[in-house]
Amino acid sequence: MKIARTSIWLFVLGVIVLLFATNSVYTLDTQHAAVVTTFGKPTLITTPGIKFKIPLVQRVQKIDTTTKEITIGYNEATNQSVNDESVMITSDYNFINVDFVIIYQVSDPVKYAYAAENPVVVMKNIAQNCIRSVIASYPIDAVLTVGKSEIQTNIRDMLFDKINTHDIGILIRNVTIQDAEPPTEEIRAAFKGVEDARQNMDEFINKATEYENAIIPEARANVDKTIREAESAKAQRVAEANVEVSKFNAMFEEYKKFPEMTKKRMFYEAMEWIMPNMKVVVMNENGVTETILPLDSFTNSSEEAERNYSQNNADND
């Protein structure tokens, strides 16, 4: 009987030792941190590996420190809309369904474990308040189309500040609009038409910009070519004009010296230019033909006579 009692006590003692041994060892990986509480005082453990605790004295709570997400406006498991979360009112008094995804991470495991009973629920409630406040400050067209990026940024900044104020150990990484649509089919169709028109407008603008980028260099090249041709024509005409001016000045100087002879020469030259095959008949005072010469011979003779006359006057002087 005594041996049986001893065996029972040894068995109970072995079970107690085994329970103490199993409850005094825990493991920690890189994706979790451990908050170890000793008589109500928390201590943070972040290094991975096998860890030890004092049974019945220390309590270990593992906290997931990886990046996670929550949805607002729809159930991710069923992909069904949650109207209580998604239906909102815009600044122009239109109703709209908006779904959001919030990316967050535990930044302080100790505060996450003890600052609130359920920090994720607290964060979600704060997020819904921020979302409705920001959406209410934008018209429906901005929420559906061009204002999404700005709205996401404003919600993220507001949520970041409020979470830091509550100090629940959560860091907001990002806020994204998952989907936004009007609450009725008729309004959805109307806004789809607006969006299609805006896309067409952007396409036309891009094509016009491409055409502009292609045609402007060509036009500039044509302008440069035209300017160079104009400058060349200008220089040529100025040179020709200068030649004509020089010829006119020389002729005028001759005219001042021999006006009658110069006028005759100019007349003969003009007639030679007008009728190059014309012949000149010279008659004396009695009407008798003295000579018939081609105009060029006559004009050459006139020029020679003029030179002789000029030479005689110079010798007399």
Side-chain angles (χ1 to χ4, degrees):
M1 189 74 177
K2 187 175 181 180
I3 295 175
R5 288 181 179 177
T6 303
S7 298
I8 293 173
W9 280 110
L10 289 175
F11 175 76
V12 171
L13 182 62
V15 170
I16 293 174
V17 171
L18 180 63
L19 289 175
F20 268 81
T22 55
N23 287 329
S24 63
V25 178
Y26 65 95
T27 59
L28 197 64
D29 57 31
T30 57
Q31 296 181 344
H32 291 78
V35 178
V36 180
T37 306
T38 307
F39 298 114
K41 182 179 179 181
T43 302
L44 178 63
I45 307 296
T46 58
T47 55
I50 299 176
K51 308 295 179 181
F52 297 92
K53 67 173 183 175
I54 302 174
L56 303 179
V57 176
Q58 292 181 321
R59 185 171 68 90
V60 178
Q61 183 179 359
K62 294 182 181 181
I63 306 296
D64 188 352
T65 57
T66 59
T67 301
K68 295 181 285 297
E69 67 178 39
I70 61 169
T71 60
I72 296 178
Y74 72 101
N75 188 317
E76 189 175 14
T78 63
N79 202 27
Q80 296 294 320
S81 178
V82 181
N83 290 334
D84 291 342
E85 297 178 357
S86 65
V87 178
M88 307 176 196
I89 189 169
T90 60
S91 63
D92 50 358
Y93 304 105
N94 285 295
F95 287 99
I96 186 172
N97 288 334
V98 189
D99 302 333
F100 284 86
V101 174
I102 297 177
I103 309 297
Y104 72 95
Q105 186 177 12
V106 175
S107 59
D108 191 326
V110 175
K111 291 180 180 178
Y112 181 84
Y114 293 102
E117 183 177 353
N118 194 330
V120 175
V121 173
V122 174
M123 177 191 65
K124 186 172 182 178
N125 292 334
I126 296 173
Q128 290 186 71
N129 177 267
C130 295
I131 289 170
R132 293 185 183 277
S133 297
V134 173
I135 293 295
S137 64
Y138 284 86
I140 188 170
D141 184 60
V143 179
L144 291 173
T145 55
V146 296
K148 287 184 178 180
S149 178
E150 182 178 334
I151 290 171
Q152 292 173 168
T153 301
N154 291 342
I155 293 174
R156 183 195 63 199
D157 294 344
M158 182 184 294
L159 180 58
F160 183 88
D161 293 339
K162 288 192 175 184
I163 291 295
N164 285 345
T165 301
H166 284 75
D167 201 16
I168 57 177
I170 289 179
L171 176 65
I172 302 300
R173 292 294 186 185
N174 198 16
V175 176
T176 305
I177 295 178
Q178 189 73 6
D179 192 18
E181 60 182 9
T184 64
E185 289 296 332
E186 292 81 3
I187 300 177
R188 289 192 193 106
F191 273 96
K192 186 177 184 304
V194 171
E195 182 64 20
D196 292 342
R198 181 175 285 108
Q199 290 177 358
N200 291 336
M201 179 188 70
D202 294 338
E203 182 179 354
F204 287 136
I205 289 175
N206 291 335
K207 288 183 178 179
T209 302
E210 291 177 2
Y211 178 75
E212 177 187 13
N213 293 336
I215 202 68
I216 286 180
E218 182 179 351
R220 287 175 178 166
N222 291 335
V223 167
D224 294 338
K225 179 181 178 182
T226 303
I227 290 175
R228 289 195 301 269
E229 290 176 351
E231 292 291 341
S232 177
K234 172 187 172 183
Q236 181 179 354
R237 292 186 181 182
V238 169
E240 291 174 354
N242 290 333
V243 171
E244 294 296 326
V245 169
S246 299
K247 289 171 63 177
F248 179 81
N249 289 335
M251 186 179 294
F252 182 66
E253 291 297 326
E254 291 296 322
Y255 176 79
K256 289 192 297 184
K257 296 178 181 178
F258 314 103
E260 291 300 325
M261 187 176 295
T262 303
K263 283 193 286 186
K264 287 181 180 180
R265 191 186 72 182
M266 292 174 65
F267 172 75
Y268 295 145
E269 288 175 352
M271 296 306 295
E272 181 184 17
W273 180 77
I274 296 171
M275 294 179 289
N277 296 324
M278 182 186 71
K279 294 184 178 181
V280 178
V281 178
V282 180
M283 304 178 67
N284 60 16
E285 294 177 356
N286 298 324
V288 179
T289 300
E290 294 183 348
T291 181
I292 300 176
L293 297 172
L295 185 60
D296 53 348
S297 300
F298 182 82
T299 53
N300 289 338
S301 299
S302 299
E303 291 174 0
E304 184 179 356
E306 183 178 345
R307 286 195 297 270
N308 293 334
Y309 181 78
S310 300
Q311 184 66 36
N312 293 332
N313 288 339
D315 292 341
N316 293 331
D317 291 339

